[in-house]
Each structure stands twice: as C-alpha cells, then as structure tokens.
Coordinates of all heavy atoms in Angstrom, one line a residue:
V1 N -27.2 -9.8 2.7 CA -26.6 -9.4 4.0 C -26.4 -7.9 4.0 O -25.9 -7.4 3.1 CB -25.3 -10.2 4.1 CG1 -24.6 -9.7 5.4 CG2 -25.4 -11.6 4.1
V2 N -27.0 -7.3 5.0 CA -26.8 -5.9 5.2 C -25.8 -5.6 6.3 O -25.9 -6.2 7.4 CB -28.1 -5.2 5.6 CG1 -27.9 -3.7 5.8 CG2 -29.2 -5.4 4.5
W3 N -24.7 -4.9 6.0 CA -23.6 -4.6 6.9 C -23.8 -3.2 7.4 O -23.7 -2.2 6.7 CB -22.3 -4.8 6.2 CG -21.1 -4.4 6.9 CD1 -20.9 -4.4 8.3 CD2 -19.8 -4.0 6.3 NE1 -19.6 -4.0 8.5 CE2 -18.9 -3.8 7.4 CE3 -19.4 -3.8 5.0 CZ2 -17.6 -3.4 7.2 CZ3 -18.1 -3.4 4.8 CH2 -17.2 -3.2 5.9
L4 N -24.1 -3.1 8.7 CA -24.3 -1.8 9.3 C -22.9 -1.4 9.9 O -22.4 -2.1 10.7 CB -25.3 -1.9 10.5 CG -26.7 -2.3 10.1 CD1 -27.6 -2.4 11.3 CD2 -27.3 -1.5 9.0
T5 N -22.4 -0.3 9.5 CA -21.1 0.2 9.9 C -21.2 1.4 10.8 O -22.1 2.2 10.7 CB -20.1 0.5 8.7 OG1 -20.7 1.7 8.0 CG2 -20.1 -0.7 7.7
A6 N -20.2 1.6 11.6 CA -20.1 2.8 12.5 C -18.6 2.9 12.9 O -17.9 1.9 12.9 CB -20.9 2.7 13.7
S7 N -18.2 4.1 13.1 CA -16.8 4.3 13.6 C -16.6 3.8 15.0 O -17.6 3.6 15.7 CB -16.5 5.8 13.5 OG -17.3 6.5 14.5
A8 N -15.4 3.5 15.3 CA -15.1 3.1 16.7 C -15.6 4.0 17.7 O -16.2 3.6 18.8 CB -13.6 2.8 16.8
S9 N -15.5 5.3 17.5 CA -16.0 6.3 18.5 C -17.5 6.3 18.6 O -18.1 6.4 19.7 CB -15.5 7.7 18.1 OG -15.9 8.1 16.9
S10 N -18.2 6.1 17.5 CA -19.7 6.0 17.6 C -20.1 4.7 18.3 O -21.0 4.7 19.2 CB -20.3 5.9 16.2 OG -20.2 7.2 15.5
I11 N -19.4 3.6 18.1 CA -19.7 2.4 18.8 C -19.5 2.5 20.3 O -20.3 2.1 21.1 CB -18.9 1.2 18.2 CG1 -19.4 0.9 16.7 CG2 -19.1 -0.1 19.1 CD1 -18.5 0.0 16.0
A12 N -18.4 3.1 20.6 CA -18.0 3.4 22.0 C -19.1 4.2 22.7 O -19.5 4.0 23.9 CB -16.6 4.0 22.2
A13 N -19.5 5.3 22.0 CA -20.5 6.2 22.6 C -21.8 5.4 22.8 O -22.5 5.6 23.8 CB -20.7 7.4 21.7
R14 N -22.2 4.6 21.9 CA -23.5 3.8 22.0 C -23.3 2.8 23.2 O -24.2 2.7 24.0 CB -23.7 3.0 20.7 CG -24.1 3.9 19.6 CD -24.3 3.1 18.3 NE -24.5 4.0 17.2 CZ -24.4 3.6 15.9 NH1 -24.1 2.4 15.6 NH2 -24.6 4.5 15.0
M15 N -22.2 2.2 23.3 CA -21.9 1.2 24.4 C -21.9 1.9 25.7 O -22.4 1.4 26.7 CB -20.6 0.5 24.1 CG -20.7 -0.5 23.0 SD -19.1 -1.3 22.6 CE -19.0 -2.4 24.0
A16 N -21.4 3.1 25.8 CA -21.4 3.9 27.0 C -22.8 4.2 27.5 O -23.0 4.3 28.8 CB -20.6 5.2 26.8
T17 N -23.7 4.3 26.7 CA -25.1 4.6 27.1 C -26.0 3.4 27.3 O -27.1 3.5 27.7 CB -25.8 5.6 26.1 OG1 -25.9 5.0 24.8 CG2 -25.0 6.9 26.0
D18 N -25.5 2.2 27.0 CA -26.2 1.0 27.1 C -25.9 0.4 28.5 O -24.8 0.0 28.8 CB -25.8 0.0 26.0 CG -26.5 -1.3 26.0 OD1 -27.3 -1.5 27.0 OD2 -26.2 -2.2 25.2
P19 N -26.9 0.3 29.3 CA -26.7 -0.2 30.7 C -26.3 -1.7 30.7 O -25.7 -2.1 31.7 CB -28.1 0.0 31.4 CG -29.1 0.2 30.3 CD -28.3 0.7 29.1
A20 N -26.5 -2.4 29.6 CA -26.1 -3.9 29.6 C -24.6 -4.0 29.2 O -24.1 -5.1 29.4 CB -27.0 -4.6 28.6
T21 N -24.0 -3.0 28.7 CA -22.6 -3.1 28.2 C -21.7 -3.8 29.3 O -21.0 -4.7 28.9 CB -22.1 -1.8 27.7 OG1 -22.8 -1.5 26.5 CG2 -20.6 -1.9 27.4
P22 N -21.6 -3.3 30.5 CA -20.6 -3.9 31.4 C -20.9 -5.4 31.7 O -19.9 -6.1 31.9 CB -20.8 -3.1 32.7 CG -21.5 -1.8 32.3 CD -22.3 -2.2 31.1
L23 N -22.1 -5.8 31.6 CA -22.4 -7.2 31.9 C -22.2 -8.1 30.7 O -21.8 -9.2 30.8 CB -23.8 -7.4 32.4 CG -24.1 -6.6 33.7 CD1 -25.6 -6.7 34.0 CD2 -23.3 -7.2 34.9
Q24 N -22.6 -7.6 29.5 CA -22.6 -8.4 28.3 C -21.4 -8.2 27.4 O -21.1 -9.1 26.6 CB -23.8 -8.1 27.5 CG -25.1 -8.5 28.2 CD -26.4 -8.1 27.4 OE1 -26.3 -7.5 26.3 NE2 -27.5 -8.5 27.9
R25 N -20.6 -7.1 27.6 CA -19.5 -6.8 26.7 C -18.3 -6.4 27.6 O -17.9 -5.2 27.6 CB -19.9 -5.7 25.7 CG -21.0 -6.1 24.8 CD -21.3 -5.0 23.9 NE -22.4 -5.2 23.1 CZ -23.6 -4.6 23.1 NH1 -23.8 -3.7 24.0 NH2 -24.6 -4.9 22.3
P26 N -17.7 -7.3 28.3 CA -16.6 -6.9 29.1 C -15.4 -6.5 28.3 O -15.2 -7.0 27.2 CB -16.3 -8.1 30.0 CG -16.9 -9.3 29.2 CD -18.0 -8.7 28.4
A27 N -14.6 -5.6 28.8 CA -13.4 -5.2 28.1 C -12.4 -6.4 27.9 O -12.4 -7.3 28.7 CB -12.7 -4.1 28.9
L28 N -11.8 -6.4 26.8 CA -10.8 -7.5 26.5 C -9.6 -7.4 27.3 O -8.9 -8.4 27.6 CB -10.5 -7.5 25.0 CG -11.7 -7.7 24.0 CD1 -11.2 -7.6 22.6 CD2 -12.3 -9.1 24.3
D29 N -9.2 -6.2 27.6 CA -8.0 -5.9 28.5 C -8.2 -4.5 29.1 O -9.2 -4.0 29.1 CB -6.7 -6.0 27.7 CG -6.7 -5.1 26.5 OD1 -7.3 -4.0 26.5 OD2 -6.1 -5.5 25.5
A30 N -7.1 -4.0 29.7 CA -7.2 -2.7 30.4 C -7.1 -1.5 29.5 O -7.2 -0.4 29.9 CB -6.1 -2.6 31.4
S31 N -7.0 -1.7 28.1 CA -6.8 -0.6 27.2 C -8.2 0.1 27.1 O -9.3 -0.5 27.4 CB -6.4 -1.1 25.9 OG -7.3 -2.0 25.2
P32 N -8.2 1.3 26.5 CA -9.5 2.1 26.3 C -10.4 1.3 25.4 O -10.0 0.5 24.5 CB -9.0 3.4 25.6 CG -7.6 3.5 26.0 CD -7.0 2.1 26.1
L33 N -11.7 1.5 25.6 CA -12.7 0.8 24.9 C -12.6 0.9 23.4 O -12.7 0.0 22.6 CB -14.1 1.2 25.3 CG -15.3 0.6 24.7 CD1 -15.3 -1.0 24.9 CD2 -16.6 1.2 25.2
T34 N -12.2 2.2 23.0 CA -12.1 2.4 21.5 C -11.0 1.6 20.9 O -11.0 1.2 19.8 CB -11.9 3.9 21.2 OG1 -10.8 4.4 22.0 CG2 -13.1 4.7 21.5
N35 N -9.9 1.3 21.7 CA -8.9 0.4 21.2 C -9.4 -1.0 20.9 O -9.1 -1.6 19.9 CB -7.7 0.3 22.2 CG -6.9 1.6 22.2 OD1 -7.2 2.6 21.6 ND2 -5.8 1.5 23.0
D36 N -10.2 -1.6 21.9 CA -10.8 -2.9 21.7 C -11.7 -2.9 20.4 O -11.7 -3.8 19.6 CB -11.7 -3.3 22.9 CG -10.9 -3.6 24.1 OD1 -9.7 -3.8 24.0 OD2 -11.5 -3.7 25.2
I37 N -12.5 -1.8 20.3 CA -13.4 -1.7 19.2 C -12.6 -1.6 17.9 O -12.9 -2.4 16.9 CB -14.4 -0.6 19.4 CG1 -15.3 -0.8 20.6 CG2 -15.2 -0.3 18.1 CD1 -16.0 0.4 21.0
S38 N -11.6 -0.8 17.8 CA -10.8 -0.6 16.6 C -10.2 -2.0 16.2 O -10.1 -2.3 15.0 CB -9.7 0.4 16.8 OG -10.4 1.7 16.9
H39 N -9.6 -2.7 17.2 CA -9.0 -4.0 17.0 C -10.0 -4.9 16.4 O -9.8 -5.6 15.4 CB -8.4 -4.5 18.2 CG -7.8 -5.9 18.1 ND1 -6.7 -6.1 17.4 CD2 -8.3 -7.1 18.5 CE1 -6.4 -7.4 17.4 NE2 -7.4 -8.0 18.0
S40 N -11.2 -5.0 17.0 CA -12.3 -5.9 16.5 C -12.7 -5.5 15.1 O -12.8 -6.4 14.2 CB -13.5 -5.9 17.4 OG -13.1 -6.5 18.7
L41 N -12.9 -4.2 14.8 CA -13.3 -3.8 13.5 C -12.2 -4.1 12.5 O -12.5 -4.6 11.4 CB -13.5 -2.3 13.5 CG -14.8 -1.8 14.2 CD1 -14.9 -0.3 14.2 CD2 -16.1 -2.4 13.6
G42 N -11.0 -3.9 12.8 CA -9.9 -4.3 11.9 C -9.9 -5.7 11.5 O -9.6 -6.1 10.4
A43 N -10.1 -6.6 12.5 CA -10.1 -8.0 12.2 C -11.4 -8.5 11.4 O -11.3 -9.4 10.6 CB -10.0 -8.8 13.5
R44 N -12.5 -7.9 11.7 CA -13.7 -8.3 11.1 C -14.1 -7.7 9.8 O -14.8 -8.2 8.9 CB -14.9 -8.1 12.1 CG -14.7 -8.8 13.3 CD -15.8 -8.4 14.3 NE -15.6 -9.2 15.6 CZ -16.3 -9.0 16.6 NH1 -17.3 -8.1 16.6 NH2 -16.1 -9.7 17.7
T45 N -13.6 -6.5 9.5 CA -14.0 -5.7 8.3 C -13.8 -6.4 7.0 O -14.7 -6.4 6.2 CB -13.3 -4.3 8.3 OG1 -13.9 -3.5 9.4 CG2 -13.6 -3.5 7.1
P46 N -12.7 -7.1 6.8 CA -12.5 -7.7 5.5 C -13.6 -8.8 5.3 O -14.1 -8.9 4.1 CB -11.1 -8.4 5.6 CG -10.4 -7.5 6.6 CD -11.4 -7.1 7.6
L47 N -13.9 -9.6 6.3 CA -14.9 -10.6 6.1 C -16.3 -10.0 5.9 O -17.0 -10.4 5.0 CB -15.0 -11.5 7.4 CG -16.1 -12.5 7.4 CD1 -15.9 -13.5 6.2 CD2 -16.1 -13.3 8.7
Y48 N -16.6 -9.0 6.6 CA -17.9 -8.3 6.4 C -18.0 -7.7 5.0 O -19.1 -7.8 4.4 CB -18.1 -7.2 7.5 CG -18.3 -7.6 8.9 CD1 -18.1 -6.7 9.9 CD2 -18.5 -8.9 9.2 CE1 -18.3 -7.1 11.3 CE2 -18.7 -9.3 10.6 CZ -18.5 -8.4 11.6 OH -18.7 -8.8 12.9
A49 N -16.9 -7.1 4.6 CA -16.9 -6.5 3.2 C -17.1 -7.5 2.1 O -17.8 -7.2 1.1 CB -15.6 -5.7 3.0
Q50 N -16.6 -8.7 2.3 CA -16.8 -9.8 1.3 C -18.1 -10.3 1.3 O -18.6 -10.8 0.3 CB -15.8 -10.9 1.5 CG -14.3 -10.6 1.2 CD -13.4 -11.7 1.6 OE1 -13.8 -12.6 2.4 NE2 -12.2 -11.7 1.1
T51 N -18.8 -10.3 2.4 CA -20.1 -11.0 2.6 C -21.3 -10.1 2.3 O -22.3 -10.5 1.8 CB -20.2 -11.5 4.1 OG1 -19.1 -12.3 4.4 CG2 -21.5 -12.3 4.3
A52 N -21.1 -8.8 2.6 CA -22.3 -7.9 2.5 C -22.8 -7.6 1.1 O -22.0 -7.5 0.2 CB -21.9 -6.6 3.2
H53 N -24.1 -7.6 1.0 CA -24.7 -7.1 -0.3 C -24.9 -5.6 -0.2 O -24.8 -4.9 -1.3 CB -26.0 -7.8 -0.5 CG -25.9 -9.3 -0.6 ND1 -26.0 -10.1 0.5 CD2 -25.7 -10.1 -1.7 CE1 -25.9 -11.4 0.0 NE2 -25.7 -11.4 -1.2
L54 N -25.1 -5.1 1.0 CA -25.3 -3.7 1.2 C -24.5 -3.2 2.4 O -24.4 -4.0 3.3 CB -26.8 -3.3 1.5 CG -27.8 -3.5 0.4 CD1 -29.2 -3.2 1.0 CD2 -27.5 -2.7 -0.9
R55 N -23.9 -2.0 2.3 CA -23.2 -1.4 3.4 C -23.9 -0.1 3.8 O -24.1 0.7 2.9 CB -21.8 -1.1 3.1 CG -21.0 -0.5 4.2 CD -19.5 -0.2 3.8 NE -18.8 0.4 4.9 CZ -18.3 1.6 4.8 NH1 -18.4 2.3 3.6 NH2 -17.7 2.2 5.8
V56 N -24.3 0.0 5.0 CA -25.1 1.2 5.5 C -24.3 1.8 6.6 O -24.1 1.2 7.7 CB -26.5 0.8 5.9 CG1 -27.2 2.1 6.4 CG2 -27.3 0.2 4.7
V57 N -23.9 3.0 6.5 CA -23.2 3.8 7.5 C -24.2 4.3 8.5 O -25.2 4.9 8.1 CB -22.4 4.9 6.9 CG1 -21.6 5.7 8.0 CG2 -21.3 4.4 5.9
T58 N -24.0 4.0 9.8 CA -25.0 4.4 10.8 C -24.5 5.5 11.7 O -25.3 5.9 12.6 CB -25.3 3.1 11.7 OG1 -24.1 2.7 12.4 CG2 -25.8 2.0 10.8
D59 N -23.3 6.0 11.6 CA -22.9 7.1 12.4 C -23.8 8.3 12.4 O -24.3 8.7 11.3 CB -21.5 7.6 11.9 CG -20.4 6.6 12.1 OD1 -20.2 6.2 13.3 OD2 -19.8 6.2 11.1
N60 N -24.2 8.8 13.6 CA -25.0 10.0 13.7 C -26.4 9.9 13.0 O -26.9 10.9 12.5 CB -24.3 11.3 13.2 CG -23.0 11.5 13.9 OD1 -22.9 11.4 15.1 ND2 -21.9 11.6 13.1
R61 N -26.9 8.7 13.0 CA -28.2 8.5 12.4 C -29.2 7.8 13.3 O -28.8 7.0 14.2 CB -28.1 7.6 11.1 CG -27.2 8.3 10.1 CD -27.1 7.5 8.8 NE -28.4 7.4 8.2 CZ -28.7 6.6 7.2 NH1 -27.7 5.7 6.8 NH2 -29.8 6.5 6.7
N62 N -30.5 8.0 13.1 CA -31.5 7.3 14.0 C -31.9 6.0 13.3 O -31.8 5.8 12.1 CB -32.6 8.3 14.3 CG -33.4 8.7 13.0 OD1 -33.5 8.0 12.1 ND2 -34.0 9.9 13.1
I63 N -32.5 5.2 14.1 CA -32.9 3.9 13.6 C -34.0 4.0 12.5 O -33.8 3.3 11.5 CB -33.5 3.0 14.8 CG1 -32.3 2.7 15.8 CG2 -34.1 1.7 14.3 CD1 -32.7 2.0 17.0
P64 N -35.0 4.8 12.6 CA -36.0 4.9 11.4 C -35.3 5.3 10.1 O -35.6 4.7 9.1 CB -37.0 5.9 11.9 CG -36.9 5.9 13.4 CD -35.5 5.6 13.7
G65 N -34.3 6.2 10.2 CA -33.6 6.6 9.0 C -32.8 5.5 8.4 O -32.7 5.3 7.2
I66 N -32.1 4.7 9.3 CA -31.3 3.6 8.8 C -32.2 2.6 8.2 O -31.9 2.0 7.1 CB -30.5 3.0 10.0 CG1 -29.5 4.0 10.5 CG2 -29.9 1.7 9.6 CD1 -28.9 3.7 11.8
C67 N -33.3 2.3 8.8 CA -34.3 1.3 8.3 C -34.8 1.7 6.9 O -34.9 0.9 6.0 CB -35.4 1.1 9.2 SG -34.9 0.2 10.8
D68 N -35.2 3.1 6.8 CA -35.7 3.5 5.5 C -34.6 3.3 4.4 O -35.0 2.9 3.3 CB -36.0 5.0 5.6 CG -37.3 5.3 6.5 OD1 -38.1 4.3 6.7 OD2 -37.5 6.4 6.9
E69 N -33.4 3.6 4.7 CA -32.3 3.5 3.7 C -32.2 2.0 3.3 O -32.1 1.7 2.1 CB -31.0 4.0 4.2 CG -29.9 3.8 3.2 CD -28.5 4.2 3.6 OE1 -28.4 5.0 4.5 OE2 -27.5 3.9 2.9
I70 N -32.3 1.1 4.3 CA -32.2 -0.4 4.0 C -33.3 -0.8 3.1 O -33.1 -1.5 2.1 CB -32.1 -1.2 5.3 CG1 -30.8 -0.9 6.0 CG2 -32.3 -2.7 4.9 CD1 -30.8 -1.5 7.4
I71 N -34.5 -0.4 3.4 CA -35.7 -0.7 2.6 C -35.5 -0.2 1.1 O -35.7 -1.0 0.2 CB -37.0 -0.2 3.2 CG1 -37.3 -1.0 4.5 CG2 -38.1 -0.3 2.2 CD1 -38.3 -0.4 5.4
V72 N -35.2 1.0 1.0 CA -35.0 1.6 -0.4 C -33.9 0.9 -1.2 O -34.1 0.5 -2.3 CB -34.7 3.1 -0.3 CG1 -34.3 3.7 -1.6 CG2 -35.9 3.9 0.2
R73 N -32.8 0.7 -0.5 CA -31.7 0.1 -1.2 C -31.9 -1.5 -1.5 O -31.5 -1.9 -2.6 CB -30.4 0.2 -0.4 CG -30.0 1.7 -0.4 CD -28.7 2.0 0.3 NE -27.6 1.3 -0.4 CZ -26.4 1.1 0.2 NH1 -26.2 1.6 1.4 NH2 -25.5 0.5 -0.4
M74 N -32.6 -2.1 -0.6 CA -33.0 -3.5 -0.9 C -34.0 -3.6 -2.1 O -33.8 -4.5 -2.9 CB -33.6 -4.2 0.4 CG -32.6 -4.5 1.4 SD -31.3 -5.7 0.9 CE -32.3 -7.2 0.7
K75 N -34.9 -2.8 -2.1 CA -35.9 -2.7 -3.2 C -35.1 -2.5 -4.5 O -35.4 -3.2 -5.5 CB -37.0 -1.7 -3.0 CG -38.0 -2.0 -2.0 CD -39.0 -1.0 -1.9 CE -40.1 -1.3 -0.9 NZ -41.1 -0.2 -0.7
S76 N -34.2 -1.6 -4.5 CA -33.4 -1.3 -5.7 C -32.5 -2.5 -6.1 O -32.5 -2.8 -7.3 CB -32.5 -0.1 -5.5 OG -31.7 0.2 -6.6
L77 N -31.9 -3.1 -5.1 CA -31.1 -4.3 -5.4 C -31.9 -5.4 -6.0 O -31.5 -6.1 -7.0 CB -30.4 -4.7 -4.1 CG -29.4 -5.9 -4.2 CD1 -28.2 -5.6 -5.1 CD2 -29.0 -6.3 -2.8
L78 N -33.0 -5.7 -5.4 CA -33.9 -6.7 -5.9 C -34.5 -6.5 -7.2 O -34.5 -7.4 -8.1 CB -35.1 -7.0 -4.8 CG -34.6 -7.5 -3.5 CD1 -35.8 -7.6 -2.6 CD2 -34.0 -9.0 -3.7
A79 N -34.8 -5.2 -7.5 CA -35.3 -4.9 -8.9 C -34.2 -5.1 -9.9 O -34.5 -5.6 -11.0 CB -35.8 -3.4 -8.8
A80 N -33.0 -4.7 -9.6 CA -31.9 -4.9 -10.5 C -31.6 -6.3 -10.8 O -31.4 -6.7 -11.9 CB -30.6 -4.2 -9.9
R81 N -31.7 -7.1 -9.7 CA -31.5 -8.6 -9.9 C -32.6 -9.2 -10.8 O -32.4 -10.1 -11.5 CB -31.3 -9.3 -8.6 CG -30.0 -9.0 -7.9 CD -29.8 -9.8 -6.7 NE -28.4 -9.5 -6.2 CZ -27.9 -10.0 -5.1 NH1 -28.6 -10.9 -4.5 NH2 -26.8 -9.6 -4.7
H82 N -33.8 -8.7 -10.6 CA -35.0 -9.2 -11.3 C -34.8 -8.8 -12.8 O -35.1 -9.6 -13.7 CB -36.2 -8.6 -10.8 CG -37.5 -9.0 -11.5 ND1 -37.9 -10.3 -11.5 CD2 -38.3 -8.4 -12.3 CE1 -39.0 -10.4 -12.2 NE2 -39.3 -9.2 -12.8
R83 N -34.3 -7.6 -13.1 CA -34.1 -7.2 -14.5 C -33.0 -8.0 -15.1 O -33.1 -8.4 -16.3 CB -33.7 -5.7 -14.5 CG -34.8 -4.7 -14.3 CD -34.4 -3.3 -14.7 NE -33.3 -2.8 -13.8 CZ -33.4 -2.2 -12.6 NH1 -34.6 -2.1 -12.1 NH2 -32.4 -1.8 -12.0
E84 N -32.0 -8.4 -14.4 CA -30.9 -9.2 -14.9 C -31.4 -10.6 -15.2 O -30.9 -11.2 -16.2 CB -29.7 -9.3 -13.9 CG -29.0 -8.0 -13.7 CD -28.0 -8.1 -12.6 OE1 -27.8 -9.2 -12.0 OE2 -27.3 -7.1 -12.2
A85 N -32.3 -11.1 -14.4 CA -32.8 -12.5 -14.6 C -33.9 -12.6 -15.7 O -34.2 -13.7 -16.1 CB -33.3 -13.1 -13.3
A86 N -34.5 -11.5 -16.0 CA -35.6 -11.5 -17.0 C -35.2 -11.9 -18.4 O -34.2 -11.5 -18.9 CB -36.3 -10.1 -17.0
P87 N -36.0 -12.8 -19.0 CA -35.6 -13.2 -20.4 C -35.9 -12.1 -21.4 O -36.7 -11.2 -21.1 CB -36.5 -14.4 -20.6 CG -37.7 -14.1 -19.7 CD -37.1 -13.4 -18.5
F88 N -35.1 -12.1 -22.5 CA -35.3 -11.1 -23.5 C -36.4 -11.4 -24.4 O -36.7 -12.4 -24.8 CB -34.0 -10.8 -24.2 CG -33.0 -10.2 -23.4 CD1 -32.1 -11.0 -22.7 CD2 -32.9 -8.9 -23.2 CE1 -31.1 -10.4 -21.8 CE2 -31.9 -8.3 -22.4 CZ -31.0 -9.1 -21.7

C-alpha cells in the first residue's frame, strides 16, 4: 500500500482547481475547506499510517516525479523482502 500524503493547504489548492470538486466533494458544513480537510486527515491518518508500506509526500510535486519515487522505492522494498526470504 502506497500512502500519498499532502498538507491540508495543498489538498485545498488542488481541489480549488478541479472543476469536479463542487459536484463530487461538497463541503461538510459552512466552515472553510481547509478545516474539513484537516478534520478528515486527522481522523484518517492513524489508519493510513498503520496500513501503508510506503509514504510519499506529494506537496509541490508533479505526477511524474511522484511516480518515479514510488517505482524506485517499491523496487527497493521488494528487493529487501527478497533478500530476507532468500535461504542461506
């Protein structure tokens, strides 16, 4: 499991430029969007942290760079697991 993280302000900025946001992600209440996001992150972060094999911070990064990091880190993780499982 790869956990892509971003700050509440980064998520809000991305949502603000996504034309589908108002239709697919309505506000939970009248509070600012960053409050909704912070609340959701606070509730979900412990579960994500327990589940993830890798955590990749996505703030101020482009998609190709994020993908490259995931590939490199997954290869490293798989190689380490292969070494652990190899008989002596």
